Amino acid sequence: MNGAARQLAVALFTSVVALPGHASQAAAQIVAFDNDRTISESTISESRAREIAWSAGLVHVEEITRTSDRWELAGRTVDDDEMILDIDVRDGRILN
């Protein structure tokens, strides 16, 4: 089985195996193929991104969006100042 066919087979298998209500857990796993090895890379959840933002000084999250490599959060501090944070989806580092 060539690499593309193997990727398709794994994608089909994982879509069938994913249980209802566990979509966030399934989405938190990125599967990549490198020289016939499967590598799993976990990502932080939206709730974890909120916890990181709160620890950085946000007291109210007004908007949260996920892109391919970061969570983008906008909100207010305790002094009602606007704060925008970018958080790496892989390890939770604050990028700005």
Side-chain angles (χ1 to χ4, degrees):
M1 184 182 295
N2 67 23
R6 185 177 302 122
Q7 287 180 355
L8 179 59
V10 170
L12 290 172
F13 176 75
T14 56
S15 67
V16 171
V17 173
L19 300 173
H22 293 83
S24 61
Q25 287 178 329
Q29 293 293 321
I30 300 170
V31 178
F33 294 88
D34 179 27
N35 297 330
D36 296 329
R37 292 182 304 134
T38 302
I39 302 165
S40 178
E41 182 181 330
S42 62
T43 59
I44 65 166
S45 66
E46 178 179 338
S47 62
R48 181 65 184 128
R50 287 177 186 274
E51 291 170 3
I52 293 167
W54 291 328
S55 69
L58 278 180
V59 295
H60 176 72
V61 175
E62 296 173 353
E63 185 177 340
I64 184 167
T65 307
R66 179 173 174 194
T67 64
S68 62
D69 64 341
R70 68 185 63 204
W71 284 103
E72 298 171 354
L73 294 94
R76 300 265 172 202
T77 66
V78 70
D79 297 325
D80 202 35
D81 294 326
E82 185 176 293
M83 179 186 277
I84 298 172
L85 290 175
D86 292 336
I87 300 173
D88 190 294
V89 298
R90 291 175 303 272
D91 59 15
R93 284 181 303 122
I94 296 175
L95 301 172
N96 58 344

